[in-house]
Amino acid sequence: MAFAPMGPEASFFAVLDQHRAALLAALRRGGGEPAGGSHLASGFEDSVGLQMVSHCTTRKIKSDSSKSIKNFALILKILSMIYKLVQSDTYATKRDIYYTDSQLFGNQTVVDNIINDISCMLKMPRRCLHILSTSKGLLAGNLRYIEEDGTKVNCSCATAVAVPSNIQGIRNLITDAKFLIIVEKDATFQRLLDDNFCNKMSPCIMVTGKGVPDLNTRLLVKKLWDTFHIPIFTLVDADPHGIEIMCIYKYGSMSMSFEAHNLTVPAIRWLGILPSDIKRLNIPKDTLIPLTKRDQMKLDSILKRPYVTCQPFWRKEMEIMADSKMKAEIQALTFLSSDYLSRVYLPNKLKFGGWI
């Protein structure tokens, strides 16, 4: 069942349609989407992101060593629990596993790290081990799907829908969306909902990971890309932390590099807030925030990463930030007008192709 368009006229989406055509052409050439193959790749690839390399440093845990015997025992315990989950075709969250014996594990981080190690060691996604993560992300807009238990979900309602905990299990996804926008912060996401952005710019989909995205939010964005191949944009603060979050969606993270093929979407584009927008829009200087020493270190670190070589326009924006030594939150746009983000900024960016 299709949705009836409620937003702008078809001509509004002309540039978006051209962008999608270019993405599809890149896919047909084999340059826009990761190909299948081993998880042990040969470093960074623009079409995949950060991947595990075959010559990476490894860590040994010995059963006859007093230093590692407890960790070895915990690995065996969690492996036995995974075996039972797979055998019974049931699922558990990392939190469930921790609470089976919280005194033994000590804290949740111990469980999280061991599960990541097992997933990496076996070269299998966590969901294939029947371990799920609790979702914190939200989505809204022109999307319907059926969850694994048969529940029908309609995301076009006024309130947001929680990202499912088992992305692999959702099916029958239906949308007429012209684009998907990833919003860094929950406050901005809620403000766009309050401004009725999804209906005004319909058909579209909005997703937020509420800051650094959890695994399920990343899996959802990847699934939506693989299913619909619609343009995906990020709306993040013009600061190193926002850029880092955008990079996680687009290129992945070191900690999950062994699963890059299942998580990254290199077709993602940076919609805003761009550092160059600060001057272009004459955002008041008293709304800007000086970069901290930690911010500058983070920015320097990002500029040295291999994927920045493939993104000269990103580098230019980050250099503008470094030279100005200032950062801006998305909320700075409210000083222009309370609804400037949803009424002016985003519509103009989307209509005229203001992304990089």
Side-chain angles (χ1 to χ4, degrees), residues 40-99:
L40 296 176
S42 55
F44 170 77
E45 289 182 23
D46 188 38
S47 62
V48 180
L50 295 171
Q51 304 169 92
M52 182 189 290
V53 292
S54 56
H55 55 277
C56 60
T57 302
T58 58
R59 182 162 50 92
K60 292 183 179 180
I61 298 174
K62 299 180 179 180
S63 61
D64 58 351
S65 168
S66 58
K67 292 183 178 180
S68 59
I69 191 167
K70 181 180 179 181
N71 200 25
F72 183 81
L74 293 178
I75 291 173
L76 288 182
K77 180 174 179 63
I78 292 179
L79 277 171
S80 70
M81 296 173 71
I82 290 171
Y83 177 77
K84 291 175 182 177
L85 290 171
V86 174
Q87 284 289 94
S88 61
D89 196 24
T90 54
Y91 291 82
T93 66
K94 294 186 294 182
R95 200 69 176 159
D96 293 333
I97 290 176
Y98 167 68
Y99 277 116

Short mmCIF file of all heavy atoms in Angstrom, two decimals, residues 40-99:
data_model
loop_
_atom_site.label_atom_id
_atom_site.label_comp_id
_atom_site.label_asym_id
_atom_site.label_seq_id
_atom_site.Cartn_x
_atom_site.Cartn_y
_atom_site.Cartn_z
N LEU A 40 37.75 -9.80 6.55
CA LEU A 40 39.14 -9.41 6.65
C LEU A 40 39.54 -8.71 5.37
O LEU A 40 40.03 -9.31 4.43
CB LEU A 40 40.02 -10.64 6.90
CG LEU A 40 39.75 -11.35 8.22
CD1 LEU A 40 40.59 -12.60 8.31
CD2 LEU A 40 40.02 -10.44 9.39
N ALA A 41 39.30 -7.40 5.30
CA ALA A 41 39.56 -6.63 4.09
C ALA A 41 40.95 -6.01 4.17
O ALA A 41 41.69 -6.21 5.13
CB ALA A 41 38.49 -5.57 3.93
N SER A 42 41.29 -5.21 3.14
CA SER A 42 42.63 -4.66 3.04
C SER A 42 42.64 -3.19 3.42
O SER A 42 43.11 -2.34 2.67
CB SER A 42 43.16 -4.84 1.61
OG SER A 42 42.24 -4.26 0.68
N GLY A 43 42.10 -2.86 4.62
CA GLY A 43 42.13 -1.48 5.08
C GLY A 43 40.88 -0.71 4.72
O GLY A 43 39.81 -1.26 4.57
N PHE A 44 41.06 0.62 4.56
CA PHE A 44 39.92 1.49 4.29
C PHE A 44 39.54 1.47 2.82
O PHE A 44 40.40 1.52 1.94
CB PHE A 44 40.26 2.92 4.71
CG PHE A 44 39.24 3.93 4.24
CD1 PHE A 44 38.03 4.04 4.91
CD2 PHE A 44 39.48 4.72 3.14
CE1 PHE A 44 37.08 4.94 4.47
CE2 PHE A 44 38.55 5.63 2.70
CZ PHE A 44 37.34 5.74 3.37
N GLU A 45 38.23 1.37 2.57
CA GLU A 45 37.69 1.51 1.22
C GLU A 45 36.56 2.52 1.28
O GLU A 45 35.69 2.43 2.15
CB GLU A 45 37.15 0.17 0.70
CG GLU A 45 38.23 -0.85 0.36
CD GLU A 45 37.62 -2.12 -0.21
OE1 GLU A 45 36.48 -2.05 -0.73
OE2 GLU A 45 38.26 -3.17 -0.12
N ASP A 46 36.52 3.46 0.33
CA ASP A 46 35.49 4.49 0.35
C ASP A 46 34.10 3.89 0.21
O ASP A 46 33.11 4.45 0.68
CB ASP A 46 35.74 5.48 -0.78
CG ASP A 46 34.83 6.70 -0.70
OD1 ASP A 46 34.57 7.14 0.43
OD2 ASP A 46 34.38 7.17 -1.75
N SER A 47 33.98 2.74 -0.45
CA SER A 47 32.67 2.13 -0.68
C SER A 47 32.20 1.27 0.49
O SER A 47 31.08 0.77 0.48
CB SER A 47 32.70 1.28 -1.96
OG SER A 47 33.61 0.22 -1.82
N VAL A 48 33.06 1.08 1.49
CA VAL A 48 32.70 0.23 2.63
C VAL A 48 32.89 0.96 3.96
O VAL A 48 32.01 0.96 4.81
CB VAL A 48 33.52 -1.08 2.64
CG1 VAL A 48 33.12 -1.94 3.84
CG2 VAL A 48 33.34 -1.83 1.34
N GLY A 49 34.04 1.58 4.13
CA GLY A 49 34.34 2.25 5.40
C GLY A 49 35.51 1.60 6.10
O GLY A 49 36.36 0.95 5.48
N LEU A 50 35.58 1.78 7.41
CA LEU A 50 36.66 1.19 8.21
C LEU A 50 36.42 -0.30 8.38
O LEU A 50 35.37 -0.71 8.82
CB LEU A 50 36.73 1.87 9.58
CG LEU A 50 37.11 3.35 9.58
CD1 LEU A 50 36.93 3.92 10.98
CD2 LEU A 50 38.55 3.53 9.12
N GLN A 51 37.44 -1.09 8.01
CA GLN A 51 37.29 -2.54 8.09
C GLN A 51 38.46 -3.15 8.84
O GLN A 51 39.53 -2.56 8.93
CB GLN A 51 37.29 -3.14 6.68
CG GLN A 51 36.23 -2.57 5.75
CD GLN A 51 36.48 -3.03 4.34
OE1 GLN A 51 35.95 -4.05 3.92
NE2 GLN A 51 37.30 -2.33 3.61
N MET A 52 38.22 -4.33 9.37
CA MET A 52 39.30 -5.08 9.98
C MET A 52 40.31 -5.47 8.90
O MET A 52 39.94 -5.77 7.78
CB MET A 52 38.77 -6.34 10.65
CG MET A 52 39.85 -7.15 11.36
SD MET A 52 39.21 -8.74 11.91
CE MET A 52 38.12 -8.23 13.20
N VAL A 53 41.58 -5.45 9.24
CA VAL A 53 42.61 -5.86 8.29
C VAL A 53 43.21 -7.18 8.73
O VAL A 53 43.21 -7.53 9.91
CB VAL A 53 43.72 -4.78 8.18
CG1 VAL A 53 43.18 -3.52 7.53
CG2 VAL A 53 44.31 -4.46 9.53
N SER A 54 43.72 -7.92 7.77
CA SER A 54 44.20 -9.27 8.05
C SER A 54 45.45 -9.27 8.93
O SER A 54 45.73 -10.25 9.61
CB SER A 54 44.51 -10.00 6.74
OG SER A 54 45.44 -9.25 5.97
N HIS A 55 46.19 -8.15 8.95
CA HIS A 55 47.43 -8.11 9.74
C HIS A 55 47.26 -7.31 11.03
O HIS A 55 48.20 -6.74 11.56
CB HIS A 55 48.57 -7.49 8.91
CG HIS A 55 48.23 -6.14 8.35
ND1 HIS A 55 47.52 -5.99 7.17
CD2 HIS A 55 48.49 -4.90 8.81
CE1 HIS A 55 47.37 -4.69 6.92
NE2 HIS A 55 47.95 -4.01 7.90
N CYS A 56 46.01 -7.27 11.55
CA CYS A 56 45.75 -6.49 12.76
C CYS A 56 46.35 -7.18 13.99
O CYS A 56 46.64 -8.37 13.99
CB CYS A 56 44.25 -6.29 12.96
SG CYS A 56 43.33 -7.82 13.14
N THR A 57 46.53 -6.38 15.04
CA THR A 57 47.08 -6.90 16.29
C THR A 57 46.05 -7.81 16.96
O THR A 57 44.87 -7.50 17.01
CB THR A 57 47.42 -5.74 17.24
OG1 THR A 57 48.36 -4.88 16.59
CG2 THR A 57 48.03 -6.26 18.54
N THR A 58 46.49 -8.93 17.46
CA THR A 58 45.59 -9.86 18.14
C THR A 58 45.96 -9.97 19.62
O THR A 58 47.08 -9.63 20.03
CB THR A 58 45.65 -11.27 17.50
OG1 THR A 58 47.00 -11.75 17.56
CG2 THR A 58 45.17 -11.22 16.06
N ARG A 59 45.01 -10.45 20.39
CA ARG A 59 45.20 -10.60 21.83
C ARG A 59 44.95 -12.05 22.21
O ARG A 59 43.96 -12.63 21.78
CB ARG A 59 44.23 -9.67 22.55
CG ARG A 59 44.33 -9.66 24.05
CD ARG A 59 43.66 -8.40 24.60
NE ARG A 59 42.32 -8.23 24.03
CZ ARG A 59 41.22 -8.72 24.59
NH1 ARG A 59 41.30 -9.42 25.70
NH2 ARG A 59 40.04 -8.50 24.05
N LYS A 60 45.83 -12.64 23.00
CA LYS A 60 45.68 -14.03 23.40
C LYS A 60 45.22 -14.12 24.85
O LYS A 60 45.68 -13.38 25.71
CB LYS A 60 47.01 -14.78 23.23
CG LYS A 60 47.45 -14.95 21.78
CD LYS A 60 48.73 -15.76 21.71
CE LYS A 60 49.16 -15.96 20.25
NZ LYS A 60 50.41 -16.75 20.15
N ILE A 61 44.28 -15.04 25.07
CA ILE A 61 43.81 -15.31 26.42
C ILE A 61 44.06 -16.79 26.70
O ILE A 61 43.54 -17.64 25.99
CB ILE A 61 42.32 -14.98 26.57
CG1 ILE A 61 42.09 -13.50 26.30
CG2 ILE A 61 41.81 -15.35 27.95
CD1 ILE A 61 40.64 -13.09 26.29
N LYS A 62 44.85 -17.08 27.72
CA LYS A 62 45.23 -18.46 28.00
C LYS A 62 44.49 -19.01 29.21
O LYS A 62 44.29 -18.31 30.20
CB LYS A 62 46.74 -18.55 28.25
CG LYS A 62 47.59 -18.10 27.06
CD LYS A 62 49.07 -18.21 27.39
CE LYS A 62 49.93 -17.78 26.21
NZ LYS A 62 51.38 -17.88 26.53
N SER A 63 44.12 -20.28 29.11
CA SER A 63 43.39 -20.92 30.21
C SER A 63 44.31 -21.29 31.37
O SER A 63 43.85 -21.53 32.48
CB SER A 63 42.69 -22.18 29.70
OG SER A 63 43.64 -23.10 29.19
N ASP A 64 45.63 -21.33 31.12
CA ASP A 64 46.57 -21.73 32.17
C ASP A 64 47.35 -20.54 32.73
O ASP A 64 48.37 -20.70 33.36
CB ASP A 64 47.54 -22.78 31.64
CG ASP A 64 48.34 -22.29 30.43
OD1 ASP A 64 48.01 -21.20 29.91
OD2 ASP A 64 49.28 -22.99 30.01
N SER A 65 46.83 -19.33 32.47
CA SER A 65 47.50 -18.14 32.96
C SER A 65 46.66 -17.53 34.08
O SER A 65 45.46 -17.30 33.92
CB SER A 65 47.69 -17.12 31.83
OG SER A 65 48.08 -15.86 32.34
N SER A 66 47.29 -17.22 35.22
CA SER A 66 46.56 -16.66 36.35
C SER A 66 45.99 -15.28 36.03
O SER A 66 44.98 -14.86 36.59
CB SER A 66 47.48 -16.56 37.57
OG SER A 66 48.62 -15.76 37.28
N LYS A 67 46.65 -14.56 35.10
CA LYS A 67 46.20 -13.22 34.73
C LYS A 67 44.93 -13.23 33.89
O LYS A 67 44.15 -12.29 33.93
CB LYS A 67 47.32 -12.48 33.99
CG LYS A 67 48.53 -12.15 34.85
CD LYS A 67 49.57 -11.37 34.06
CE LYS A 67 50.76 -11.00 34.91
NZ LYS A 67 51.78 -10.24 34.15
N SER A 68 44.74 -14.28 33.12
CA SER A 68 43.62 -14.28 32.18
C SER A 68 42.61 -15.40 32.41
O SER A 68 41.65 -15.54 31.66
CB SER A 68 44.14 -14.38 30.73
OG SER A 68 44.90 -15.55 30.54
N ILE A 69 42.82 -16.18 33.46
CA ILE A 69 41.95 -17.34 33.66
C ILE A 69 40.49 -16.92 33.92
O ILE A 69 39.55 -17.57 33.44
CB ILE A 69 42.47 -18.22 34.81
CG1 ILE A 69 41.70 -19.56 34.82
CG2 ILE A 69 42.39 -17.51 36.16
CD1 ILE A 69 42.35 -20.61 35.70
N LYS A 70 40.29 -15.81 34.67
CA LYS A 70 38.91 -15.37 34.93
C LYS A 70 38.23 -14.93 33.63
O LYS A 70 37.08 -15.30 33.37
CB LYS A 70 38.89 -14.24 35.95
CG LYS A 70 37.46 -13.77 36.26
CD LYS A 70 37.42 -12.64 37.27
CE LYS A 70 35.98 -12.21 37.51
NZ LYS A 70 35.88 -11.09 38.48
N ASN A 71 38.96 -14.16 32.82
CA ASN A 71 38.39 -13.70 31.54
C ASN A 71 38.09 -14.88 30.63
O ASN A 71 37.07 -14.91 29.94
CB ASN A 71 39.37 -12.73 30.86
CG ASN A 71 38.67 -11.86 29.83
OD1 ASN A 71 37.48 -11.63 29.91
ND2 ASN A 71 39.43 -11.38 28.87
N PHE A 72 38.99 -15.86 30.66
CA PHE A 72 38.78 -17.07 29.85
C PHE A 72 37.51 -17.80 30.30
O PHE A 72 36.71 -18.25 29.47
CB PHE A 72 40.00 -17.99 30.00
CG PHE A 72 39.93 -19.24 29.16
CD1 PHE A 72 40.26 -19.22 27.81
CD2 PHE A 72 39.52 -20.45 29.72
CE1 PHE A 72 40.19 -20.37 27.03
CE2 PHE A 72 39.45 -21.60 28.95
CZ PHE A 72 39.79 -21.55 27.60
N ALA A 73 37.31 -17.87 31.62
CA ALA A 73 36.12 -18.55 32.15
C ALA A 73 34.84 -17.79 31.78
O ALA A 73 33.82 -18.40 31.44
CB ALA A 73 36.23 -18.67 33.67
N LEU A 74 34.91 -16.46 31.80
CA LEU A 74 33.74 -15.66 31.44
C LEU A 74 33.39 -15.82 29.96
O LEU A 74 32.22 -15.87 29.59
CB LEU A 74 34.00 -14.18 31.77
CG LEU A 74 34.12 -13.82 33.25
CD1 LEU A 74 34.41 -12.34 33.42
CD2 LEU A 74 32.85 -14.20 34.01
N ILE A 75 34.42 -15.92 29.13
CA ILE A 75 34.18 -16.14 27.70
C ILE A 75 33.48 -17.48 27.48
O ILE A 75 32.51 -17.57 26.72
CB ILE A 75 35.52 -16.09 26.91
CG1 ILE A 75 36.07 -14.67 26.90
CG2 ILE A 75 35.32 -16.59 25.48
CD1 ILE A 75 37.45 -14.54 26.29
N LEU A 76 33.96 -18.51 28.18
CA LEU A 76 33.33 -19.83 28.05
C LEU A 76 31.88 -19.80 28.54
O LEU A 76 31.00 -20.42 27.94
CB LEU A 76 34.13 -20.87 28.84
CG LEU A 76 35.49 -21.27 28.27
CD1 LEU A 76 36.13 -22.34 29.16
CD2 LEU A 76 35.37 -21.80 26.84
N LYS A 77 31.64 -19.07 29.61
CA LYS A 77 30.28 -18.99 30.15
C LYS A 77 29.34 -18.33 29.14
O LYS A 77 28.24 -18.83 28.89
CB LYS A 77 30.27 -18.21 31.47
CG LYS A 77 28.87 -18.09 32.09
CD LYS A 77 28.91 -17.46 33.44
CE LYS A 77 27.50 -17.31 34.03
NZ LYS A 77 26.84 -18.64 34.25
N ILE A 78 29.79 -17.22 28.57
CA ILE A 78 28.93 -16.52 27.60
C ILE A 78 28.78 -17.34 26.32
O ILE A 78 27.71 -17.37 25.71
CB ILE A 78 29.48 -15.11 27.33
CG1 ILE A 78 29.34 -14.25 28.59
CG2 ILE A 78 28.75 -14.45 26.15
CD1 ILE A 78 29.87 -12.83 28.46
N LEU A 79 29.83 -18.05 25.93
CA LEU A 79 29.73 -18.93 24.76
C LEU A 79 28.69 -20.03 24.99
O LEU A 79 27.93 -20.37 24.08
CB LEU A 79 31.09 -19.57 24.45
CG LEU A 79 32.07 -18.73 23.62
CD1 LEU A 79 33.44 -19.40 23.59
CD2 LEU A 79 31.55 -18.53 22.19
N SER A 80 28.64 -20.55 26.22
CA SER A 80 27.66 -21.60 26.52
C SER A 80 26.24 -21.03 26.48
O SER A 80 25.30 -21.70 26.04
CB SER A 80 27.94 -22.22 27.90
OG SER A 80 27.67 -21.30 28.94
N MET A 81 26.09 -19.78 26.91
CA MET A 81 24.78 -19.14 26.87
C MET A 81 24.35 -18.88 25.42
O MET A 81 23.19 -19.06 25.06
CB MET A 81 24.81 -17.82 27.66
CG MET A 81 25.08 -18.02 29.15
SD MET A 81 25.30 -16.48 30.05
CE MET A 81 23.65 -15.85 30.02
N ILE A 82 25.32 -18.47 24.59
CA ILE A 82 25.03 -18.26 23.17
C ILE A 82 24.60 -19.57 22.52
O ILE A 82 23.65 -19.61 21.72
CB ILE A 82 26.27 -17.67 22.45
CG1 ILE A 82 26.51 -16.23 22.91
CG2 ILE A 82 26.11 -17.73 20.93
CD1 ILE A 82 27.83 -15.65 22.43
N TYR A 83 25.29 -20.64 22.86
CA TYR A 83 24.94 -21.97 22.32
C TYR A 83 23.49 -22.34 22.65
O TYR A 83 22.74 -22.79 21.78
CB TYR A 83 25.90 -23.02 22.87
CG TYR A 83 25.58 -24.43 22.43
CD1 TYR A 83 25.91 -24.88 21.14
CD2 TYR A 83 24.94 -25.32 23.30
CE1 TYR A 83 25.60 -26.17 20.74
CE2 TYR A 83 24.64 -26.61 22.90
CZ TYR A 83 24.97 -27.03 21.61
OH TYR A 83 24.67 -28.32 21.21
N LYS A 84 23.09 -22.10 23.89
CA LYS A 84 21.72 -22.41 24.30
C LYS A 84 20.70 -21.54 23.57
O LYS A 84 19.62 -22.00 23.19
CB LYS A 84 21.57 -22.24 25.81
CG LYS A 84 22.34 -23.28 26.63
CD LYS A 84 22.25 -22.98 28.12
CE LYS A 84 23.07 -23.99 28.93
NZ LYS A 84 23.05 -23.67 30.38
N LEU A 85 21.05 -20.26 23.35
CA LEU A 85 20.15 -19.35 22.64
C LEU A 85 19.95 -19.81 21.20
O LEU A 85 18.83 -19.84 20.68
CB LEU A 85 20.71 -17.92 22.65
CG LEU A 85 20.70 -17.19 23.99
CD1 LEU A 85 21.49 -15.89 23.89
CD2 LEU A 85 19.26 -16.89 24.43
N VAL A 86 21.06 -20.18 20.55
CA VAL A 86 20.98 -20.62 19.15
C VAL A 86 20.21 -21.94 19.05
O VAL A 86 19.37 -22.11 18.16
CB VAL A 86 22.40 -20.76 18.55
CG1 VAL A 86 22.34 -21.37 17.15
CG2 VAL A 86 23.10 -19.40 18.50
N GLN A 87 20.49 -22.86 19.99
CA GLN A 87 19.82 -24.16 19.97
C GLN A 87 18.31 -24.04 20.17
O GLN A 87 17.52 -24.75 19.54
CB GLN A 87 20.40 -25.05 21.09
CG GLN A 87 21.76 -25.62 20.77
CD GLN A 87 21.72 -26.69 19.70
OE1 GLN A 87 21.92 -26.40 18.52
NE2 GLN A 87 21.46 -27.92 20.08
N SER A 88 17.90 -23.10 21.01
CA SER A 88 16.47 -22.93 21.31
C SER A 88 15.80 -21.89 20.42
O SER A 88 14.60 -21.65 20.55
CB SER A 88 16.29 -22.54 22.78
OG SER A 88 16.95 -21.31 23.06
N ASP A 89 16.60 -21.26 19.53
CA ASP A 89 16.11 -20.22 18.64
C ASP A 89 15.42 -19.09 19.41
O ASP A 89 14.36 -18.60 19.05
CB ASP A 89 15.14 -20.80 17.60
CG ASP A 89 14.90 -19.83 16.43
OD1 ASP A 89 15.78 -18.99 16.19
OD2 ASP A 89 13.83 -19.91 15.80
N THR A 90 16.06 -18.69 20.51
CA THR A 90 15.56 -17.57 21.30
C THR A 90 16.63 -16.48 21.32
O THR A 90 17.79 -16.71 20.94
CB THR A 90 15.24 -17.99 22.74
OG1 THR A 90 16.41 -18.62 23.31
CG2 THR A 90 14.08 -18.97 22.77
N TYR A 91 16.22 -15.29 21.79
CA TYR A 91 17.14 -14.16 21.81
C TYR A 91 17.24 -13.57 23.20
O TYR A 91 16.32 -13.70 24.03
CB TYR A 91 16.66 -13.07 20.84
CG TYR A 91 16.77 -13.46 19.38
CD1 TYR A 91 15.79 -14.23 18.77
CD2 TYR A 91 17.87 -13.05 18.62
CE1 TYR A 91 15.90 -14.59 17.44
CE2 TYR A 91 17.99 -13.40 17.29
CZ TYR A 91 16.99 -14.17 16.70
OH TYR A 91 17.11 -14.53 15.38
N ALA A 92 18.36 -12.93 23.47
CA ALA A 92 18.56 -12.24 24.75
C ALA A 92 19.32 -10.95 24.49
O ALA A 92 20.07 -10.84 23.52
CB ALA A 92 19.35 -13.12 25.72
N THR A 93 19.11 -9.97 25.35
CA THR A 93 19.88 -8.73 25.25
C THR A 93 21.16 -8.87 26.06
O THR A 93 21.29 -9.76 26.91
CB THR A 93 19.07 -7.53 25.78
OG1 THR A 93 18.87 -7.69 27.19
CG2 THR A 93 17.73 -7.41 25.07
N LYS A 94 22.08 -7.97 25.81
CA LYS A 94 23.31 -7.96 26.59
C LYS A 94 23.00 -7.74 28.07
O LYS A 94 23.68 -8.28 28.94
CB LYS A 94 24.26 -6.87 26.08
CG LYS A 94 24.78 -7.11 24.68
CD LYS A 94 25.82 -6.08 24.30
CE LYS A 94 25.22 -4.69 24.19
NZ LYS A 94 26.24 -3.69 23.76
N ARG A 95 21.98 -6.95 28.31
CA ARG A 95 21.57 -6.69 29.69
C ARG A 95 21.04 -7.97 30.35
O ARG A 95 21.31 -8.23 31.53
CB ARG A 95 20.48 -5.61 29.71
CG ARG A 95 20.31 -4.92 31.05
CD ARG A 95 21.50 -4.05 31.36
NE ARG A 95 21.31 -3.30 32.61
CZ ARG A 95 22.32 -2.79 33.31
NH1 ARG A 95 23.56 -2.97 32.90
NH2 ARG A 95 22.10 -2.10 34.40
N ASP A 96 20.27 -8.77 29.58
CA ASP A 96 19.78 -10.05 30.09
C ASP A 96 20.93 -10.94 30.53
O ASP A 96 20.89 -11.58 31.59
CB ASP A 96 18.95 -10.78 29.02
CG ASP A 96 17.66 -10.06 28.70
OD1 ASP A 96 17.14 -9.34 29.58
OD2 ASP A 96 17.17 -10.24 27.56
N ILE A 97 21.96 -11.00 29.69
CA ILE A 97 23.11 -11.85 29.98
C ILE A 97 23.82 -11.38 31.24
O ILE A 97 24.21 -12.18 32.11
CB ILE A 97 24.07 -11.88 28.78
CG1 ILE A 97 23.42 -12.65 27.62
CG2 ILE A 97 25.41 -12.51 29.15
CD1 ILE A 97 24.22 -12.66 26.35
N TYR A 98 23.97 -10.08 31.37
CA TYR A 98 24.64 -9.53 32.56
C TYR A 98 23.89 -9.91 33.84
O TYR A 98 24.49 -10.33 34.84
CB TYR A 98 24.74 -8.01 32.45
CG TYR A 98 25.13 -7.32 33.74
CD1 TYR A 98 26.40 -7.48 34.28
CD2 TYR A 98 24.21 -6.53 34.44
CE1 TYR A 98 26.76 -6.87 35.48
CE2 TYR A 98 24.56 -5.91 35.63
CZ TYR A 98 25.83 -6.08 36.15
OH TYR A 98 26.18 -5.48 37.32
N TYR A 99 22.57 -9.84 33.81
CA TYR A 99 21.79 -10.10 35.01
C TYR A 99 21.62 -11.59 35.32
O TYR A 99 21.07 -11.94 36.37
CB TYR A 99 20.42 -9.43 34.92
CG TYR A 99 20.47 -7.96 35.31
CD1 TYR A 99 20.18 -6.97 34.39
CD2 TYR A 99 20.85 -7.59 36.59
CE1 TYR A 99 20.24 -5.62 34.74
CE2 TYR A 99 20.91 -6.25 36.95
CZ TYR A 99 20.61 -5.27 36.03
OH TYR A 99 20.67 -3.95 36.38
#
